[in-house]
Amino acid sequence: MAKLLVIDDEEDVRAFVKNFFTKRGLEILLASSGDEAIKIISNQNVDLILLDMRMDGLTGLETMTQLRHYQPMVKIVIVSAVIDEEVSEQARALGVTGICHKPLMLEELERIVMMELDRAHVGNQN
Amino acid sequence: MSLALFIVAIIFFLFSLVILERVRNHYYRHFLLLAIFSLFAWSFALAIFYFFNQDVLLWLRCSYVLASCVILSLVLFVLVYPQHKDQPQLTRWVLCITPFFLGAWIYSIATPWVIESVRLNPLAIDFGIGYGLWLINVLILISFLLFRLISTFKSARGLLREKVLYLLASSLFFIFFISVTNFILPYIHFLELLWLGPILAILWVLSVLYLVTNHVVIDLRLMLIRVSIFLFVYSILFLATFYLAYQLMGWGVWVWPMMALAILSFLGHVVYAYLQNRAEDGLLNEQRRYQNTLRNASSGMGRVKDLKKLLAMICYVLTKTVKLTHTLIYMYDASEKKFVLGASKVNDSGRVYPYYIADHDILLDYMQRTRQPIIADRIKDLPLSDEEVQSLSEAVLLFDGQLFYPIIIERDLIGIIVMGGKENKHLFSEDDLVVFSILCNQVALAIENAQFYEEMKIKQQQLFQAEKMATIGTMADGLSHQINNRFHAMGFIAGDALDTIVSNKDSGDNEKLKQALKDLEVSLNRIQDNVIQGGEIVQGLLRYTRKGDSGHAPVDVDAVLRSAMEMIQFKIKPSQMLIERCYDSKVIPRAMANYTQLQEVFMNIIDNAFDAMLQKKTEMNVTGYMPTLKIYIEEKDQRVRIIFEDTGMGVKDEDLAKLFTPFFTTKFSTKKGTGLGLYVIKKIIEENHQGHVEFITQYGQGSQLKLSLPLAT
């Protein structure tokens, strides 16, 4: 079963994403901040990370750097409110898999997640 | 004789009182008192010499000593006169020398050295050999006095100069005559005018007293001329009469009444002037009182900042203090292009006055031409043709006004003050008219002040508004994110709910439930659509309010334009204004620009165009008028040229110069703009983008705003 780590400070977002993807047979891990996420990832590997860029505490980029530290090859999809050129550049430098914009429809998110997981699966299989 | 002496004594007594009371300076007081005392004694001695034939020699000698005392005291006065402060050195010097002088004189005169003897019939004095020397002595003293005065005069300035000149003139005059009557003539055995000496000396002391006690800044030269003329005329008249009488009747009793007559006529002149002033004061008291009030009012006017209050105050003050029937103030209203009644104070509330003065009223024409006040009674004296006089008189009648004063600021007529006649139907005096003229100048200044203040208030408000906008801008960033998060969360919630419904809607048999689920699906889809829309709005706002980088990059002008149009949609509905993009969107040049700033510029331009066209729609009331904005983009001469063409109200010629200045706005919309739009556009395009802004307009037809940006290579 594929593991998906959802990092977002919004409770609703976490709850409904979990709901949604659990029905599709994924295991969802939740973190409400960068620190929590790092704690989780230090204990186990995940297949895909959904990262909200704007959080209190550790910033999205900082979290990304830390996550890469534990799992250098993990796929990260970031969700951002604004197309900030500078941030996008840095994120790409850190090897982000995809950038989504808020507000995002679950359908869209599903499509992206499935696509990335398939690739990973295929990758793993190869 | 004794009577005469008595009169003289009284005079001296009065003088002494005056001196003691009004002369403040110690030195002056002492020297003047000394002079007076010496004068008195001198007169006394002379009187006795003349009328008592005992000890004539003694008394004669005394009189000469005392005459010298008078001169000495006056010299001493002159010594200290211009310097008011203590001069201890000088005083000591003077105090030491004086006794010597006095001693020397007394001695010389007491002996036959100066005056040998006196013969009684006919009256003649035999002067001794020492007389010449004594005379020279006195002459030196007098020269010293004059020399001192002249040197002080040369170094003095202003009022002091005037005073010293006066002292010099009077001293010269009197000394000359006294010397003639008392020192020179007796030498040639003409003793008849000996008694003139003390009288002249009194006048001299009088003049000095006047100088010392009068601190009013009057033109002394003028007074000197007046007094000289007066004395000259009087002297001629009286001397001539005296001489005639003397020739006819010889010396006699008649001399004394004649002299009294002369003195009284002189005094009479003074008394007359005094009484006249008092009488006038009484009569003009009323006049002076309200002139004072007006003076005070004019100084208070500067403090009133509210224009309406100011005008009301002026009307009130004029009507109440001068006791007029009414006062009206008409001010020029730019929007109505007429002079409108701004304020009024009317005693007879039944009477109605015109609300405005029409643009080509003869009254206005005249005032604008000449900028002079109109006095109703004097219209026929004006240099106008008969018909003009007639029509002006008629125009004036409408207002029932006696006086019409123009209010002028920078050579423009901006208002007229109309004043009715006095309630008591009295005339306006010349003084009145002068005061009113001055008042009107003050009024003009006060109005200018109030207007300036009001403008300042408006500008301040605009500034506050602009600052508020800026604050909102900074808040928008944080707010947008918050709102965006809400949408995001909502989207997921709706999405998840949809998902649940979709996976369950076809299971089960309950048709009602199935239908309910179908309905819910539709609703949730609608929610998702709204979330997407909401997200887009916030996106636009975020993009706009972001403190974007000021860097330049090759920018697709069409994309910026579309983005701006998208943003402006929230203010201007597509049904209100048609935006035509008159260019081939596939062949758009890229300009070297800052995306965000350019977007702002476009938004401002579109907004302004809309306002101009809205104004036209409302003001010109054209049916079927659809505000249309045409936009052209082309590449020319290595530049990207963007032209915004509207069919709005355009801009008036007189406003063109101020168009791009900050805070200038002729915006029509109810939420008046900050007036910063065009200013900011110019700044951004010209300063930040090395671009060029050109504005072509025709009032009533429309405008064209042309931008020129560097081409991205």
Side-chain angles (χ1 to χ4, degrees), chain A residues 10 19 23-24 81 102 104, chain B residues 485-486 496 499-500 539:
Chain A
E10 283 287 338
N19 230 12
K23 281 187 264 178
R24 276 145 182 76
K102 287 198 215 180
L104 188 64
Chain B
N485 285 345
R486 296 300 119 239
D496 187 55
D499 189 52
T500 311
Q539 282 285 353

Side-chain angles (χ1 to χ4, degrees), chain A residues 8 10 12-13 16-17 19-20 23-24 54 79-85 101-107 109, chain B residues 477-478 481 484-489 491-493 495-496 499-500 528 531-532 535-536 539 542-543 546:
Chain A
D8 197 309
E10 283 287 338
D12 281 337
V13 170
F16 284 96
V17 165
N19 230 12
F20 188 81
K23 281 187 264 178
R24 276 145 182 76
R54 235 159 144 280
V79 180
S80 166
V82 145
I83 342 145
D84 201 321
E85 282 298 316
H101 302 299
K102 287 198 215 180
L104 188 64
M105 293 300 110
L106 267 182
E107 298 174 338
L109 186 64
Chain B
D477 199 52
H481 272 290
N484 216 25
N485 285 345
R486 296 300 119 239
F487 281 130
H488 187 61
F492 278 13
I493 297 167
D496 187 55
D499 189 52
T500 311
Q528 279 201 314
V531 164
I532 295 170
E536 273 169 14
Q539 282 285 353
L542 270 175
R543 247 184 282 136
R546 225 167 13 114

Side-chain angles (χ1 to χ4, degrees), chain B residues 102 149 549 573 648:
Chain B
L102 272 173
L149 278 177
D549 51 290
K573 297 189 191 48

Side-chain angles (χ1 to χ4, degrees), chain A residues 3-5 46-50 74-75 77 113 116-117:
Chain A
K3 277 198 210 158
L4 177 66
L5 174 61
V46 297
D47 297 295
L48 184 62
I49 302 176
L50 280 178
V74 74
K75 288 189 187 295
V77 172
V113 167
E116 294 305 327
L117 283 176

Side-chain angles (χ1 to χ4, degrees), chain B residues 30 33 50 53 65 108 114 153 214 247 262 272 346 381 395 413 444 449-450 469 539 575 583 597 631 668 687:
Chain B
H30 292 153
L33 278 173
Y50 266 120
N53 290 327
V65 168
S108 59
V114 172
F153 173 73
N214 234 314
Q247 289 297 358
Y272 167 73
V346 179
D381 297 329
L413 183 72
N449 197 32
M469 288 294 126
Q539 282 285 353
S575 57
Y583 52 88
Q597 288 181 3
I631 308 175
F668 179 75
E687 278 177 36

